Amino acid sequence: MQLRIHPSSGVPIYRQVVDQIRYLITSGRLAPGAELPGIRALAEQLLVNPNTIARAYLELERAEMLMKRHGAGTYVAESPRKLTRNQRASALTESVDALLMQAAQLGVGYEEVVELLEERHARVTSNTP
Amino acid sequence: MTSLLPSPSSADSVVSVNGLTRRFGSRIALDEVSLHVPRGSIFGLVGENGAGKTTLLRHVLGLLRPEAGIVRVLGLDPVAEPVEVLSRTGYLSETRDLPDWMRVDELLRYTRAFYRTWDANYAEELRRQFELPPDQRIRSLSQGQLAKAGLLVALAFRPELLVLDEPSSGLDPVVRRDILEAIIRTVAEERRTVLFSSHLLDEIERVCDYVAMIRAGRVLLAGRLDDIKAAHHRLHLRFGATPHRPPRIERALSLCGGGREWSGVFYGDRPLLTRSVEAVGAEILEEEPVSLDEIFVARSSSGWSEAPYQES
């Protein structure tokens, strides 16, 4: 599992870990049932505090993306929790708003944003097995 | 196994400093410094050279007697009980003073004699991992090897507390990585505790749970790194009209810009910040997270020494 940590980006490190693992799971690069590295091993690999990894794993467990098997490590959940349509939409609203605001500031038109979305969508889904 | 963040109550503090003051002649080196290092944490001391970090660490090790205030390490007074404290505390000084006429293997045998808990297998494992030839003289080691030899000696008796003064000072990135790895491994095993100073904020931000920022002998800010980061924001502002002089905004630690657009580092909850920004006739265009480096610079220049996260 390859994660990249940017300590001085301002984004808390546990948040970077959560977001990247979430991305690996939703993009299919981490399959359901796949085992994640242990907390200590990942902390040493990324050179970050073990508590940070523990916190990220805990948050992903609470979101039912990961599950702990009794004394046997952490795995990608077999069937990620199904969210209602509203829940899914509201989870994305903030990011969409930020995207639209940034586009407006840069003078990028709405059509161009949609084009970019399609282009990125094609790129991201091509990584899915 | 690693547990979640330890609770910061002073009862479970491995190092506890209260109102520590120290003068050298007329110069005040530490001015009523208080901080608590929770068991199992990695605690980073941040500050410029001469801020008082080394002086503080020397008090923790019992090498200096407090002029005023109280220092407790593992529940003990390090000045009154140096043998007990030092037998449970690993220390790497910035100068890495090791007996330079010894060979690496002699250094290990010599140091071993001082510690009941010395783990010879672990020492050998570290020696191989750090690639230190047993027959090499200390004086002929490179800066990086010297730091590793010092770290080996500080780790091999599996101390409850590891104190490192500027461990990566003057080292190349490869050796710095080895040192950070050793720090991480130390806390990952058996809830040991690390207290280290560094002027490399990037490094502190990576590995620390808790941070204290020290400036001119005073604690500017101390607390859980995540809390400190969550409480600071970079805001980009637009004023309704160009301010006549640089604007003054409540909770702004720094501000720069010109015309109607200004940006700066702010401290506080978002609703509170929205209010103080609106109070001066501006709106928030954008909000960004800030790095520890930016927080430190903003705090240092604002001279704002309120320490809202100081544990009691």
Side-chain angles (χ1 to χ4, degrees):
Chain A
M1 189 170 73
Q2 288 304 315
L3 307 181
R4 279 173 164 267
I5 298 302
H6 303 281
S8 52
S9 75
V11 180
I13 293 174
Y14 89 92
R15 172 62 43 213
Q16 296 182 35
V17 173
V18 166
D19 289 348
Q20 291 182 38
I21 293 178
R22 199 186 277 274
Y23 173 76
L24 289 175
I25 294 173
T26 50
S27 68
R29 266 195 264 172
L30 271 177
E35 184 175 4
L36 272 80
I39 288 170
R40 189 182 143 184
L42 188 57
E44 281 177 29
Q45 182 199 324
L46 299 177
L47 279 195
V48 302
N49 192 305
N51 288 325
T52 304
I53 305 295
R55 184 172 172 190
Y57 277 16
L58 188 68
E59 185 166 320
L60 288 161
E61 280 165 38
R62 287 197 178 132
E64 296 179 23
M65 312 270 310
L66 297 181
M67 48 181 272
K68 207 167 241 156
R69 273 186 212 152
H70 206 66
T74 304
Y75 298 81
V76 177
E78 288 296 345
S79 51
R81 186 168 60 123
K82 293 278 185 288
L83 299 174
T84 66
R85 193 184 145 76
N86 276 346
Q87 281 174 321
R88 277 179 287 168
S90 76
L92 286 176
T93 303
E94 204 180 313
S95 311
V96 172
D97 289 355
L99 171 67
L100 291 174
M101 199 184 293
Q102 213 183 350
Q105 277 170 5
L106 294 170
V108 176
Y110 178 69
E111 286 71 25
E112 230 176 303
V113 174
V114 174
E115 249 171 59
L116 189 65
L117 270 177
E118 279 172 2
E119 191 186 308
R120 297 306 302 172
H121 176 70
R123 178 79 61 88
V124 170
T125 46
S126 72
N127 284 329
T128 314
Chain B
M1 194 69 256
T2 311
S3 62
L4 273 181
L5 288 168
S7 83
S9 75
S10 53
D12 201 24
S13 290
V14 170
V15 175
S16 162
V17 174
N18 282 301
L20 176 62
T21 295
R22 174 81 195 195
R23 278 182 207 86
F24 292 119
S26 62
R27 194 175 74 83
I28 192 148
L30 294 174
D31 189 1
E32 297 202 18
V33 167
S34 296
L35 52 86
H36 301 276
V37 180
R39 184 175 296 277
S41 68
I42 304 182
F43 195 108
L45 280 179
V46 178
E48 288 157 13
N49 290 333
K53 296 178 306 230
T54 299
T55 306
L56 175 56
L57 295 180
R58 291 176 65 82
H59 279 89
V60 168
L61 293 157
L63 302 172
L64 290 172
R65 183 184 298 274
E67 192 177 303
I70 294 172
V71 176
R72 289 290 176 271
V73 177
L74 304 159
L76 304 167
D77 176 349
V79 175
E81 297 181 79
V83 175
E84 179 66 11
V85 169
L86 293 178
S87 71
R88 295 160 65 189
T89 305
Y91 174 48
L92 179 62
S93 77
E94 189 178 3
T95 46
R96 296 159 198 142
D97 20 35
L98 298 171
D100 68 356
W101 46 271
M102 280 189 192
R103 306 186 337 173
V104 168
D105 54 358
E106 289 167 341
L107 174 72
L108 299 196
R109 278 202 301 274
Y110 166 79
T111 320
R112 176 180 189 165
F114 290 95
Y115 298 102
R116 246 181 314 118
T117 55
W118 185 269
D119 182 336
N121 292 331
Y122 186 39
E124 181 57 19
E125 184 192 320
L126 288 168
R127 190 197 61 73
R128 284 170 195 270
Q129 186 196 328
F130 290 165
E131 297 174 337
L132 296 168
D135 56 354
Q136 197 166 338
R137 299 261 169 219
I138 301 295
R139 80 166 67 87
S140 66
L141 296 178
S142 68
Q143 275 303 306
Q145 286 176 313
L146 205 53
K148 289 174 176 179
L151 189 62
L152 188 166
V153 164
L155 283 173
F157 62 102
R158 299 192 182 274
E160 283 169 65
L161 170 66
L162 182 61
V163 176
L164 309 169
D165 193 3
E166 293 281 354
S168 12
S169 176
L171 301 180
D172 63 67
V174 179
V175 183
R176 287 216 301 268
R177 191 180 162 98
D178 283 339
I179 289 182
L180 289 185
E181 250 173 31
I183 291 176
I184 290 164
R185 206 168 308 131
T186 301
V187 290
E189 288 165 8
E190 310 146 27
R191 290 247 295 160
R192 288 184 283 161
T193 308
V194 179
L195 170 60
F196 82 109
S197 69
S198 177
H199 61 279
L200 299 173
L201 283 106
D202 177 272
E203 185 172 290
I204 293 271
E205 201 156 358
R206 251 180 198 284
V207 303
C208 291
D209 312 287
Y210 289 84
V211 179
M213 292 184 177
I214 298 187
R215 185 163 199 269
R218 300 188 69 115
V219 175
L220 274 184
L221 186 66
R224 214 173 260 213
L225 177 59
D226 285 341
D227 292 345
I228 290 175
K229 288 188 71 176
H232 291 80
H233 316 263
R234 175 171 292 283
L235 300 181
H236 299 276
L237 310 177
R238 183 157 54 207
F239 285 78
T242 303
H244 295 299
R245 49 170 181 248
R248 292 192 156 205
I249 310 177
E250 214 183 318
R251 313 198 79 81
L253 299 171
S254 67
L255 211 54
C256 62
R260 289 173 58 201
E261 297 207 357
W262 293 75
S263 75
V265 175
F266 287 70
Y267 159 74
D269 289 342
R270 188 56 206 275
L272 213 58
L273 296 183
T274 308
R275 276 206 297 282
S276 37
V277 166
E278 282 169 356
V280 294
E283 58 165 337
I284 298 172
L285 288 181
E286 210 184 321
E287 178 188 337
E288 279 180 282
V290 284
S291 67
L292 197 58
D293 193 51
E294 292 172 286
I295 296 172
F296 183 60
V297 170
R299 285 267 171 182
S300 299
S301 55
S302 76
W304 185 356
S305 65
E306 178 200 356
Y309 294 103
Q310 185 59 51
E311 338 286 7
S312 54

